[in-house]
mmCIF file of all heavy atoms in Angstrom:
data_model
loop_
_atom_site.group_PDB
_atom_site.id
_atom_site.type_symbol
_atom_site.label_atom_id
_atom_site.label_comp_id
_atom_site.label_asym_id
_atom_site.label_seq_id
_atom_site.Cartn_x
_atom_site.Cartn_y
_atom_site.Cartn_z
ATOM 1 N N GLY F 218 8.250 11.197 1.282
ATOM 2 C CA GLY F 218 8.452 10.871 -0.118
ATOM 3 C C GLY F 218 8.180 12.089 -0.982
ATOM 4 O O GLY F 218 7.469 13.019 -0.563
ATOM 5 N N PRO F 219 8.724 12.141 -2.193
ATOM 6 C CA PRO F 219 8.564 13.321 -3.048
ATOM 7 C C PRO F 219 7.112 13.739 -3.251
ATOM 8 O O PRO F 219 6.812 14.935 -3.319
ATOM 9 C CB PRO F 219 9.214 12.891 -4.365
ATOM 10 C CG PRO F 219 10.191 11.839 -3.983
ATOM 11 C CD PRO F 219 9.579 11.116 -2.814
ATOM 12 N N GLU F 220 6.207 12.753 -3.328
ATOM 13 C CA GLU F 220 4.794 13.062 -3.552
ATOM 14 C C GLU F 220 4.164 13.803 -2.384
ATOM 15 O O GLU F 220 3.156 14.494 -2.530
ATOM 16 C CB GLU F 220 4.017 11.771 -3.843
ATOM 17 C CG GLU F 220 3.851 10.830 -2.660
ATOM 18 C CD GLU F 220 5.082 10.001 -2.322
ATOM 19 O OE1 GLU F 220 6.086 10.061 -3.086
ATOM 20 O OE2 GLU F 220 5.049 9.298 -1.298
ATOM 21 N N CYS F 221 4.761 13.688 -1.200
ATOM 22 C CA CYS F 221 4.224 14.335 0.012
ATOM 23 C C CYS F 221 4.152 15.850 -0.148
ATOM 24 O O CYS F 221 3.253 16.501 0.392
ATOM 25 C CB CYS F 221 5.087 13.955 1.212
ATOM 26 S SG CYS F 221 4.742 14.826 2.746
ATOM 27 N N ALA F 222 5.100 16.410 -0.905
ATOM 28 C CA ALA F 222 5.223 17.870 -1.003
ATOM 29 C C ALA F 222 3.942 18.533 -1.481
ATOM 30 O O ALA F 222 3.587 19.630 -1.017
ATOM 31 C CB ALA F 222 6.382 18.232 -1.927
ATOM 32 N N GLU F 223 3.202 17.886 -2.394
ATOM 33 C CA GLU F 223 2.028 18.507 -3.004
ATOM 34 C C GLU F 223 0.711 17.885 -2.550
ATOM 35 O O GLU F 223 -0.334 18.198 -3.113
ATOM 36 C CB GLU F 223 2.138 18.421 -4.532
ATOM 37 C CG GLU F 223 3.347 19.159 -5.105
ATOM 38 C CD GLU F 223 3.339 20.640 -4.759
ATOM 39 O OE1 GLU F 223 2.236 21.242 -4.744
ATOM 40 O OE2 GLU F 223 4.423 21.199 -4.497
ATOM 41 N N ARG F 224 0.750 17.025 -1.552
ATOM 42 C CA ARG F 224 -0.480 16.362 -1.108
ATOM 43 C C ARG F 224 -1.029 17.008 0.162
ATOM 44 O O ARG F 224 -0.296 17.216 1.132
ATOM 45 C CB ARG F 224 -0.243 14.869 -0.875
ATOM 46 C CG ARG F 224 -0.044 14.093 -2.165
ATOM 47 C CD ARG F 224 0.061 12.609 -1.911
ATOM 48 N NE ARG F 224 0.182 11.861 -3.158
ATOM 49 C CZ ARG F 224 0.336 10.548 -3.235
ATOM 50 N NH1 ARG F 224 0.393 9.835 -2.114
ATOM 51 N NH2 ARG F 224 0.428 9.950 -4.412
ATOM 52 N N LEU F 225 -2.315 17.276 0.156
ATOM 53 C CA LEU F 225 -2.952 17.906 1.311
ATOM 54 C C LEU F 225 -2.855 17.059 2.578
ATOM 55 O O LEU F 225 -2.677 17.606 3.671
ATOM 56 C CB LEU F 225 -4.417 18.222 0.998
ATOM 57 C CG LEU F 225 -5.110 19.173 1.977
ATOM 58 C CD1 LEU F 225 -4.456 20.551 1.962
ATOM 59 C CD2 LEU F 225 -6.592 19.299 1.648
ATOM 60 N N PRO F 226 -2.962 15.720 2.479
ATOM 61 C CA PRO F 226 -2.797 14.927 3.701
ATOM 62 C C PRO F 226 -1.349 14.838 4.172
ATOM 63 O O PRO F 226 -1.060 14.135 5.127
ATOM 64 C CB PRO F 226 -3.305 13.532 3.292
ATOM 65 C CG PRO F 226 -4.101 13.733 2.059
ATOM 66 C CD PRO F 226 -3.439 14.883 1.363
ATOM 67 N N CYS F 227 -0.458 15.551 3.519
ATOM 68 C CA CYS F 227 0.959 15.510 3.885
ATOM 69 C C CYS F 227 1.477 16.951 4.050
ATOM 70 O O CYS F 227 0.825 17.761 4.709
ATOM 71 C CB CYS F 227 1.738 14.719 2.834
ATOM 72 S SG CYS F 227 3.201 13.869 3.512
ATOM 73 N N PHE F 228 2.601 17.289 3.450
ATOM 74 C CA PHE F 228 3.225 18.589 3.720
ATOM 75 C C PHE F 228 2.333 19.775 3.355
ATOM 76 O O PHE F 228 2.315 20.790 4.064
ATOM 77 C CB PHE F 228 4.556 18.695 2.970
ATOM 78 C CG PHE F 228 5.280 19.987 3.221
ATOM 79 C CD1 PHE F 228 5.844 20.262 4.456
ATOM 80 C CD2 PHE F 228 5.388 20.939 2.216
ATOM 81 C CE1 PHE F 228 6.499 21.466 4.693
ATOM 82 C CE2 PHE F 228 6.050 22.142 2.444
ATOM 83 C CZ PHE F 228 6.603 22.403 3.683
ATOM 84 N N LYS F 229 1.595 19.671 2.265
ATOM 85 C CA LYS F 229 0.717 20.775 1.858
ATOM 86 C C LYS F 229 -0.307 21.089 2.944
ATOM 87 O O LYS F 229 -0.687 22.243 3.154
ATOM 88 C CB LYS F 229 0.022 20.437 0.534
ATOM 89 C CG LYS F 229 -0.652 21.625 -0.148
ATOM 90 C CD LYS F 229 -1.120 21.232 -1.539
ATOM 91 C CE LYS F 229 -1.884 22.361 -2.212
ATOM 92 N NZ LYS F 229 -1.060 23.559 -2.399
ATOM 93 N N GLY F 230 -0.752 20.072 3.653
ATOM 94 C CA GLY F 230 -1.668 20.279 4.776
ATOM 95 C C GLY F 230 -1.004 20.993 5.938
ATOM 96 O O GLY F 230 -1.640 21.796 6.637
ATOM 97 N N PHE F 231 0.289 20.731 6.149
ATOM 98 C CA PHE F 231 1.035 21.414 7.212
ATOM 99 C C PHE F 231 1.086 22.915 6.947
ATOM 100 O O PHE F 231 0.952 23.721 7.871
ATOM 101 C CB PHE F 231 2.464 20.851 7.284
ATOM 102 C CG PHE F 231 2.599 19.606 8.104
ATOM 103 C CD1 PHE F 231 1.810 18.493 7.853
ATOM 104 C CD2 PHE F 231 3.520 19.528 9.128
ATOM 105 C CE1 PHE F 231 1.933 17.343 8.600
ATOM 106 C CE2 PHE F 231 3.657 18.375 9.895
ATOM 107 C CZ PHE F 231 2.854 17.270 9.629
ATOM 108 N N THR F 232 1.287 23.288 5.680
ATOM 109 C CA THR F 232 1.423 24.712 5.358
ATOM 110 C C THR F 232 0.075 25.387 5.089
ATOM 111 O O THR F 232 -0.163 26.506 5.552
ATOM 112 C CB THR F 232 2.343 24.894 4.136
ATOM 113 O OG1 THR F 232 1.822 24.145 3.031
ATOM 114 C CG2 THR F 232 3.753 24.429 4.456
ATOM 115 N N ASP F 233 -0.822 24.706 4.351
ATOM 116 C CA ASP F 233 -2.074 25.352 3.926
ATOM 117 C C ASP F 233 -3.176 25.275 4.966
ATOM 118 O O ASP F 233 -4.020 26.171 5.040
ATOM 119 C CB ASP F 233 -2.575 24.720 2.621
ATOM 120 C CG ASP F 233 -1.668 25.014 1.447
ATOM 121 O OD1 ASP F 233 -0.557 25.536 1.671
ATOM 122 O OD2 ASP F 233 -2.046 24.712 0.304
ATOM 123 N N VAL F 234 -3.193 24.194 5.750
ATOM 124 C CA VAL F 234 -4.257 24.019 6.746
ATOM 125 C C VAL F 234 -3.759 24.388 8.143
ATOM 126 O O VAL F 234 -4.380 25.180 8.848
ATOM 127 C CB VAL F 234 -4.799 22.576 6.725
ATOM 128 C CG1 VAL F 234 -5.875 22.388 7.808
ATOM 129 C CG2 VAL F 234 -5.361 22.232 5.344
ATOM 130 N N TYR F 235 -2.627 23.826 8.533
ATOM 131 C CA TYR F 235 -2.090 24.125 9.862
ATOM 132 C C TYR F 235 -1.345 25.461 9.910
ATOM 133 O O TYR F 235 -1.044 25.963 10.993
ATOM 134 C CB TYR F 235 -1.160 22.992 10.322
ATOM 135 C CG TYR F 235 -1.905 21.787 10.838
ATOM 136 C CD1 TYR F 235 -2.130 20.683 10.030
ATOM 137 C CD2 TYR F 235 -2.394 21.752 12.142
ATOM 138 C CE1 TYR F 235 -2.814 19.569 10.500
ATOM 139 C CE2 TYR F 235 -3.075 20.652 12.630
ATOM 140 C CZ TYR F 235 -3.289 19.563 11.800
ATOM 141 O OH TYR F 235 -3.970 18.476 12.281
ATOM 142 N N LYS F 236 -1.040 26.028 8.725
ATOM 143 C CA LYS F 236 -0.356 27.326 8.635
ATOM 144 C C LYS F 236 0.986 27.322 9.358
ATOM 145 O O LYS F 236 1.406 28.314 9.968
ATOM 146 C CB LYS F 236 -1.235 28.453 9.209
ATOM 147 C CG LYS F 236 -2.637 28.521 8.623
ATOM 148 C CD LYS F 236 -2.633 28.795 7.132
ATOM 149 C CE LYS F 236 -4.045 28.932 6.574
ATOM 150 N NZ LYS F 236 -4.066 29.105 5.096
#
Side-chain angles (χ1 to χ4, degrees):
E220 70 282 354
C221 172
E223 298 301 323
R224 289 185 177 178
L225 194 63
C227 210
F228 181 70
K229 194 171 176 62
F231 276 54
T232 57
D233 293 10
V234 178
Y235 281 98
K236 307 298 183 184

